[in-house]
Amino acid sequence: MNPAIRLKNVSKTFIGGAVALDDVSLELNGGKIYGLVGPNGAGKSTLTNVISGYLKSDRGEVYVNGVRIEEYHQAIVKAGVVKVEQHPNLAPALTLLEQLALLYPYFIPDLGLVKKKAEKIAEELGVRLDLDQPAERIPIGQLRAFEIVRALILSEILHRMGKRPILILDESMAYLPARQKRRLNDYLRQLTELGYTVIMISHDLSDLIKAVDEILVMTNGRIVSRFDSKKAELDDLIKSMFEEMEYFIPLKELERLEPSNEKAALKLENLTIIDDRGEVVVEDLSLEVLEGEVHGIAAVPGTGEKELAECIYGVRRPASGKIILFGEDVTGFSTPELRKRGVGFLSDDRIRDGLILGASIEDNLTIGSEKDFSHRIFLDPERRGKIAEKLASEFQIVLRDLRSPVETLSGGNMQRAYIGRVLGRWDKLLIALHPTIGLDPRGVKLFFDRTLERRRRILTTVIFSPNLRELLAVCDRVSAFANKKILGTYRPPEITIEKLGMMISGLMEVARA
Ligand code: ADP
Ligand code: MG
């Protein structure tokens, strides 16, 4: 039998000169789950895009199940490749159900049946889908889960047509809570028994080791090593991802300083928030964040934490309750009014909310900071360039030319451009929503180094995240958000990952009911 995937001397250089694939030769057998890891910009998305026919290589040959892949349609229909892209790939105004109907190019599907199918898979994975809502109204976590369900349906159609599907998940699982990830892994494992092959791209090495048969490591456009996951050692993996080990410094227990100042930066009083579907997602919540502290809010994505963050940033109004910022009642203030008072926001949906894709990297790094490079009404392009250059180097953005469109960067580097802009502003209060999702270990370190520098400058940071290990390592205090409320606020030595995790998994049960 042909190998599921075979690449022969495949190279790809982008306009602008980035070598994304450098003479890659590779064979993958069918019926297995592969993990693909490597730093931002290594070429993981490009490699899988060449397999899915979405991109054409400059040199070399790509075969899937023996079929030579030269274009997109052929990869899907003839060879059975289905890919969930790194960033949501949906029409904003169409409902999820309408987007499912697009899967059937040759006949008009029975939407009732399609809906049942999607609901059945969603139930098996333990995810909730609002199939009748347009994509633009659905939070990113649920969108990602939907795209996975959609890919599973398409693979099943292809399987019924007699193909051996190749399912590629490009950093698509990052938003799923641990339990949904486990269920998806079990589901995928069953599919391999039917002859499916799965490629998962992820930065979560410890998760990956449990889920896959083999791990491939990519750096600089090459596959540099392959590990049998049963034997793989995390250290060896990380070593092969980052040839220079000093780049990866794991988060350490910090010397925890007492907050320098017992003044409150932010006070939430009896806040109730209603989401876009009209459901109460935050109820009678109170919280106090001190000036200069790093305050973690441990929360499962998609349980109301985003609405809470948006409320603090003025994107959404609370139904009742008060928001006090540095002693001033700012309830109902607009985002520009809050920005003037020093509030910054890092969105979890960084590409959609944070970047102008066709604008240059330089512009994306400096939008909103015009006062730093202007004299009265005149902008100083040279100074703008210097600021952008400094941020690009501080945030280690791999680029050729600051004036190229930001969309020419790899996904991880695009995120860094946005994160660099937001963190470059030294806001008095920064609300960061799931800041490390999608970042490689080096990007994670950059974010937390900056956070700690903010703390030294007595600037306040609130981090919403499900990553309890990170929160407990860097935060002065961590609050558990569950069941629409703050269940408790703890200083890290007082609480363990296990206990916080239990509070959050309790939340998952409530949210599903
Ligand atoms: P990864 O998925 O491992 O983070 P990518 O495959 O996205 O990396 O990117 C590999 C390299 O190719 C990077 O240097 C990136 O900047 C470059 N690149 C990716 N897409 C484009 C594009 N559309 N135009 C120009 N360069 C690109
Ligand atoms: Mg990528």
Side-chain angles (χ1 to χ4, degrees), residues 12-21 37-49 55 86 170-171 201 203 218 221 398-400 407-413:
K12 172 84 194 169
T13 303
F14 283 103
I15 296 171
V19 180
L21 297 177
V37 303
N40 294 147
K44 306 177 296 294
S45 295
T46 306
L47 177 71
T48 46
N49 283 339
L55 283 179
Q86 184 168 1
D170 189 350
E171 299 192 37
I201 299 175
H203 292 299
M218 254 194 118
V398 181
L399 55 81
R400 298 255 140 194
E407 66 192 340
T408 59
L409 295 176
S410 77
N413 280 297

Side-chain angles (χ1 to χ4, degrees), residues 141-426:
Q142 202 193 114
L143 281 187
R144 300 309 282 160
F146 166 74
E147 290 187 291
I148 293 172
V149 170
R150 181 175 65 168
L152 290 171
I153 295 176
L154 180 56
S155 325
E156 197 185 306
I157 295 170
L158 293 164
H159 185 247
R160 264 193 265 125
M161 288 163 59
K163 309 294 169 198
R164 293 194 298 156
I166 312 285
L167 183 63
I168 302 170
L169 303 175
D170 189 350
E171 299 192 37
S172 322
M173 293 168 73
Y175 287 89
L176 300 187
R179 201 173 67 159
Q180 290 177 11
K181 269 190 208 155
R182 273 200 302 278
R183 290 221 207 165
L184 177 61
N185 288 334
D186 293 345
Y187 194 96
L188 294 174
R189 185 52 71 187
Q190 288 170 22
L191 294 180
T192 59
E193 278 150 31
L194 302 174
Y196 285 52
T197 304
V198 181
I199 302 176
M200 277 183 202
I201 299 175
S202 167
H203 292 299
D204 195 334
L205 298 179
S206 51
D207 264 7
L208 217 50
I209 283 187
K210 282 179 244 148
V212 308
D213 298 303
E214 202 180 321
I215 294 183
L216 313 177
V217 183
M218 254 194 118
T219 53
N220 301 321
R222 291 166 165 267
I223 303 279
V224 292
S225 44
R226 296 175 66 154
F227 289 88
D228 179 335
S229 67
K230 306 290 170 302
K231 299 181 201 136
E233 285 290 329
L234 217 52
D235 287 352
D236 293 339
L237 263 178
I238 289 166
K239 250 184 241 162
S240 70
M241 279 175 66
F242 300 98
E243 300 107 296
E244 298 147 282
M245 269 301 275
E246 69 267 31
Y247 274 122
F248 182 78
I249 300 164
L251 297 169
K252 274 193 260 98
E253 278 287 312
L254 293 168
E255 203 182 305
R256 249 172 267 277
L257 309 168
E258 286 304 307
S260 53
N261 197 331
E262 291 290 316
K263 274 203 311 226
L266 176 73
K267 259 203 240 177
L268 307 176
E269 294 177 5
N270 309 101
L271 220 51
T272 293
I273 303 172
I274 293 174
D275 73 3
D276 294 335
R277 292 186 304 262
E279 281 174 34
V280 174
V281 288
V282 171
E283 194 168 31
D284 199 23
L285 176 147
S286 295
L287 175 71
E288 189 172 288
V289 176
L290 299 175
E291 212 174 311
E293 89 173 323
V294 182
H295 195 110
I297 299 196
V300 172
T303 54
E305 88 298 348
K306 180 164 179 141
E307 285 78 4
L308 176 57
E310 287 175 346
C311 220
I312 302 171
Y313 190 54
V315 177
R316 184 181 288 280
R317 274 165 177 267
S320 63
K322 268 193 193 167
I323 302 174
I324 313 284
L325 180 71
F326 302 111
E328 179 188 13
D329 185 344
V330 296
T331 317
F333 278 33
S334 67
T335 300
E337 288 171 309
L338 291 166
R339 286 209 40 74
K340 248 185 255 158
R341 285 163 175 77
V343 183
F345 182 65
L346 190 64
S347 169
D348 60 338
D349 197 345
R350 292 188 264 274
I351 307 301
R352 181 162 66 177
D353 296 349
L355 295 172
I356 303 174
L357 292 180
S360 68
I361 302 165
E362 178 177 286
D363 287 346
N364 273 284
L365 278 167
T366 55
I367 309 163
S369 306
E370 287 76 8
K371 67 170 176 11
D372 296 336
F373 50 86
S374 57
H375 293 293
R376 283 179 286 166
I377 63 161
F378 299 106
L379 295 179
D380 176 347
E382 208 168 296
R383 223 153 92 211
R384 164 180 243 159
K386 288 242 165 64
I387 293 173
E389 215 167 277
K390 181 156 175 277
L391 285 173
S393 112
E394 281 173 8
F395 285 86
Q396 302 174 12
I397 298 168
V398 181
L399 55 81
R400 298 255 140 194
D401 184 348
L402 272 172
R403 283 156 307 179
S404 308
V406 76
E407 66 192 340
T408 59
L409 295 176
S410 77
N413 280 297
M414 277 201 259
Q415 296 210 30
R416 284 188 199 183
Y418 170 54
I419 291 175
R421 177 178 86 224
V422 174
L423 291 182
R425 280 198 296 248
W426 302 109

